[in-house]
Amino acid sequence: MAERVTSARVEDFCRALAETNSARGGAAVLHKMRHVLLHLAPGADWDWLHAIAKRLTSSSTPRSKMASLRMSDELYQLGFDLMDQADAAVAQGTRTRERDALAYRDGLMIALLAADPIRRSNFAGLAIQCSLMKSGSAWTIVLTAAETKGGRALEYPVPPRIGERLDQYLARYRPVIYGSHTHPGLWASDKGCPMTGGAIYDAVCRRTKAAFGQRVYLHLFRDAAATFWSMESPEAILGTRDLLGHRNIDTTDQYYRHAQTVPAARHYAQIIERRIGPAASTRPVRIQLTKKPRSGPCPPPE
């Protein structure tokens, strides 16, 4: 077994990985491969695989999230736009079609994630009257300590406006989705089961790419929430830690530091504009060229 895993074959494998994966992604695959080989051939030395993976990681350039980041209010509005479009399509027909129900479901997911940016596994696991509770007319997301990454019990009140749309989803749209009556999962898949985290990821990416030209993956909803809060209410930055379920503010502070550069850059530009004055753009720019006397032929190029 061990003799079949040669450095030449691993190099070919890495080149194939590079066609569809980043350097960091290729390194992650090699780490997993080494973990498997340690069990299949424990007597062999696999440190050289670890060394290759470390070189790949160090050579990788982390991708900036800013190209894909949208603010929470934009995502919130997109969710309602999708739900309104589904309502309009249903109003024009004689029955509720499944594709309209799926569009409404996706819009509700995007709006709820923008308002309550919980982690993907918790979002996919939402179940009616279990982790999603209704008391009177108010809905609340209830997560136990065992269900959260930070080991803290969390509660997220669903905004009333989204709660009204949630009621409509459960009454009109969710029953239309195939097999939704067979399970309590909030996000019903057209395959007759609750949506997985991967399926929710794909649906949200598809809708956001169609709207913004760039997909907004699920974890970016948490980045958007922290950045948006930091920009709109920097004096209450500690609230971002609780919103995202972080144990300390250091994890959240990176979003605050980024958000502060936006108003700082705007303020700096205003200072420049005041200094130059409003007529600066209309004043002609004069460039005076001084002619150096030539004492002889031009030197040859080096």
Side-chain angles (χ1 to χ4, degrees):
M1 172 64 190
E3 63 274 8
R4 297 177 62 183
V5 184
T6 64
S7 59
R9 286 175 174 170
V10 170
E11 288 175 6
D12 290 339
F13 181 57
C14 288
R15 280 191 286 270
L17 279 176
E19 296 177 3
T20 56
N21 292 265
S22 65
R24 189 175 294 271
V29 173
L30 289 185
H31 280 301
K32 292 178 181 178
M33 179 191 297
R34 178 174 175 269
H35 182 73
V36 172
L37 290 171
L38 285 172
H39 288 277
L40 295 178
D45 179 17
W46 301 113
D47 287 346
W48 61 275
L49 263 180
H50 181 64
I52 294 175
K54 286 184 66 175
R55 287 200 299 271
L56 282 175
T57 301
S58 62
S59 68
S60 66
T61 302
R63 290 177 294 180
S64 172
K65 296 178 179 180
M66 298 314 300
S68 302
L69 186 64
R70 311 296 296 201
M71 290 296 97
S72 297
D73 54 343
E74 296 178 277
L75 296 167
Y76 191 85
Q77 186 60 54
L78 172 60
F80 277 89
D81 288 344
L82 288 170
M83 290 186 282
D84 289 341
Q85 291 167 14
D87 281 340
V90 170
Q92 293 177 357
T94 57
R95 62 184 181 86
T96 303
R97 297 172 299 181
E98 188 176 55
R99 70 178 184 183
D100 297 325
L102 296 177
Y104 194 96
R105 177 203 66 190
D106 294 351
L108 181 60
M109 288 196 300
I110 291 171
L112 184 57
L113 272 172
D116 295 328
I118 63 178
R119 296 185 184 277
R120 179 168 79 169
S121 59
N122 296 132
F123 194 73
L126 290 178
I128 305 164
Q129 294 302 337
C130 182
S131 50
L132 183 67
M133 308 289 293
K134 187 174 186 181
S135 177
S137 61
W139 288 95
T140 305
I141 295 173
V142 181
L143 303 175
T144 65
E147 294 172 322
T148 64
K149 182 178 179 180
R152 296 172 54 197
L154 300 173
E155 289 191 12
Y156 293 85
V158 176
R161 189 181 175 201
I162 296 181
E164 294 173 0
R165 297 302 185 103
L166 180 54
D167 289 330
Q168 187 173 355
Y169 167 70
L170 294 174
R172 173 184 292 182
Y173 292 104
R174 187 178 179 278
V176 175
I177 301 175
Y178 172 74
S180 59
H181 65 283
T182 63
H183 61 84
L186 177 62
W187 311 118
S189 166
D190 57 359
K191 295 179 174 59
C193 58
M195 295 180 76
T196 63
I200 293 174
Y201 179 98
D202 292 340
V204 171
C205 286
R206 184 174 64 254
R207 300 290 185 182
T208 51
K209 184 174 178 59
F212 305 126
Q214 192 79 21
R215 62 180 189 152
V216 180
Y217 51 90
L218 298 187
H219 200 275
L220 278 180
F221 281 75
R222 294 171 61 80
D223 292 36
T227 303
F228 184 73
W229 188 320
S230 300
M231 291 176 63
E232 296 297 318
S233 186
E235 73 282 356
I237 184 60
L238 286 175
T240 312
R241 176 196 63 188
D242 297 325
L243 176 69
L244 300 181
H246 291 157
R247 290 184 177 180
N248 57 66
I249 194 60
D250 293 339
T251 308
T252 315
D253 185 53
Q254 56 180 308
Y255 306 111
Y256 175 69
R257 289 197 305 269
H258 162 71
Q260 290 302 91
T261 63
V262 177
R266 289 174 181 165
H267 181 65
Y268 178 62
Q270 291 170 359
I271 294 173
I272 294 176
E273 289 171 357
R274 285 197 299 268
R275 177 67 174 171
I276 295 175
S281 60
T282 61
R283 291 200 298 264
V285 178
R286 296 182 179 180
I287 302 176
Q288 184 175 0
L289 300 177
T290 57
K291 205 171 184 180
K292 291 182 66 175
R294 293 178 57 184
S295 58
C298 295
E302 295 182 356

